[in-house]
Amino acid sequence: MNKSRQNRCKRALLISVSVLICFLGGCGRKFDAVHYTQAVLDWNFQGDIDGIRRYEKDATKEELMQGYQTAVAGFTQAVIGSEFPMDGYKEEEFKELVSKIFTTMRYEVIKAEKKGKNYEVRVEIQPSDVMIRFKNALTTDSLKLAEETAQGKYTGTEEEIQEQLLRDIANRSYELLAVSFEHQEFLEKKEIRLTVERKKDGSYQMDAEDFDRLINKILCLDEIQG
């Protein structure tokens, strides 16, 4: 994966969330790190805003859904788009498929432990091999595409050939991702520890680097990035 694109995707899924210990109306309920972590994961992977609305009182349903859609689009452009020049071809279809892939991710928040001002949250994940399958399929198909190109499959002006090639790459890549998703398998379970940090204003926020690590592990991105 191109290093600059890899860096851009490091926070593709993390939607910045600040959580006040005391909610509106001064209810006085204590901050629940387990529930908060579950809400963030469900928001990012399932597009489920019910849990996160407890912590984002000022955000509308539309704004929360827009945040989820922005995260999906960022992942699609940074991770899927790093494998070939998407340039708008089938981008909406890719985002819809990525969203479906996210909903199948397997994770379970186990427990949270107070560590000074912060919380350490244990999350059990079962990684999916969908991106490994997709990467391998693309590598094989790129060799076949290069051979077809050398044999004169694409004709016309240089601009026309480039247009045909990009469209063909996008179509074939989409099919390969769909097949990879259809045949995905889940690997051995792993435990990830996430830090939920207490900020100076008394609010809490999940550590971005820890969340990046969870994304890389649950989708095996660390393996295909090498």
Side-chain angles (χ1 to χ4, degrees):
M1 177 181 290
N2 178 278
K3 287 294 182 183
S4 64
R5 287 180 180 268
Q6 178 178 327
N7 290 335
R8 291 205 329 253
C9 82
K10 285 182 71 67
R11 285 174 175 76
L13 284 183
L14 180 60
I15 306 169
S16 185
V17 183
S18 293
V19 184
L20 296 178
I21 297 178
C22 293
F23 305 126
L24 297 180
C27 61
R29 287 179 294 176
K30 291 183 178 181
F31 173 70
D32 186 339
V34 169
H35 184 275
Y36 165 71
T37 301
Q38 186 72 48
V40 171
L41 294 176
D42 288 346
W43 186 19
N44 280 273
F45 288 119
Q46 312 298 327
D48 182 352
I49 65 172
D50 289 342
I52 205 65
R53 289 188 70 199
R54 169 178 169 180
Y55 305 101
E56 287 292 310
K57 296 283 188 178
D58 294 334
T60 65
K61 291 181 180 181
E62 291 74 18
E63 288 170 337
L64 292 174
M65 282 308 302
Q66 181 59 51
Y68 166 72
Q69 291 163 2
T70 298
V72 170
F75 183 93
T76 302
Q77 293 165 2
V79 179
I80 306 299
S82 70
E83 302 297 342
F84 66 93
M86 192 173 290
D87 294 336
Y89 293 101
K90 296 186 79 69
E91 188 168 350
E92 291 305 314
E93 290 93 331
F94 271 108
K95 286 191 287 188
E96 182 177 350
L97 182 53
V98 165
S99 181
K100 290 179 180 178
I101 290 172
F102 284 171
T103 64
T104 65
M105 294 300 100
R106 298 180 180 179
Y107 52 88
E108 179 183 0
V109 182
I110 302 173
K111 65 179 295 186
E113 183 178 352
K114 197 80 164 19
K115 297 281 188 177
K117 297 184 300 182
N118 304 328
Y119 286 91
E120 181 182 77
V121 185
R122 294 168 51 196
V123 181
E124 185 177 80
I125 63 172
Q126 190 169 10
S128 162
D129 70 352
V130 61
M131 296 306 298
I132 294 177
R133 288 175 180 271
F134 178 55
K135 176 72 173 181
N136 291 340
L138 279 179
T139 299
T140 300
D141 193 62
S142 65
L143 297 175
K144 182 179 179 181
L145 186 62
E147 183 179 346
E148 292 173 351
T149 302
Q151 293 174 350
K153 176 180 178 179
Y154 305 102
T155 60
T157 65
E158 183 176 342
E159 183 177 337
E160 290 171 341
I161 291 175
Q162 183 70 6
E163 176 79 13
Q164 296 169 42
L165 184 59
L166 288 175
R167 185 180 295 109
D168 208 5
I169 291 174
N171 288 330
R172 291 164 70 148
S173 297
Y174 178 82
E175 292 174 3
L176 292 174
L177 182 58
V179 171
S180 298
F181 176 41
E182 181 182 354
H183 296 285
Q184 76 172 330
E185 294 182 357
F186 292 91
L187 310 179
E188 184 177 348
K189 292 180 180 180
K190 297 180 179 181
E191 184 178 296
I192 299 290
R193 301 197 176 200
L194 306 176
T195 299
V196 177
E197 302 171 316
R198 188 177 190 273
K199 299 166 66 178
K200 291 182 179 179
D201 62 1
S203 65
Y204 284 88
Q205 185 170 327
M206 186 175 294
D207 181 79
E209 291 187 1
D210 283 357
F211 193 85
D212 292 339
R213 187 161 48 85
L214 183 146
I215 297 299
N216 283 326
K217 293 294 184 183
I218 203 167
L219 286 162
C220 296
L221 299 179
D222 53 340
E223 295 187 29
I224 64 176
Q225 289 167 0

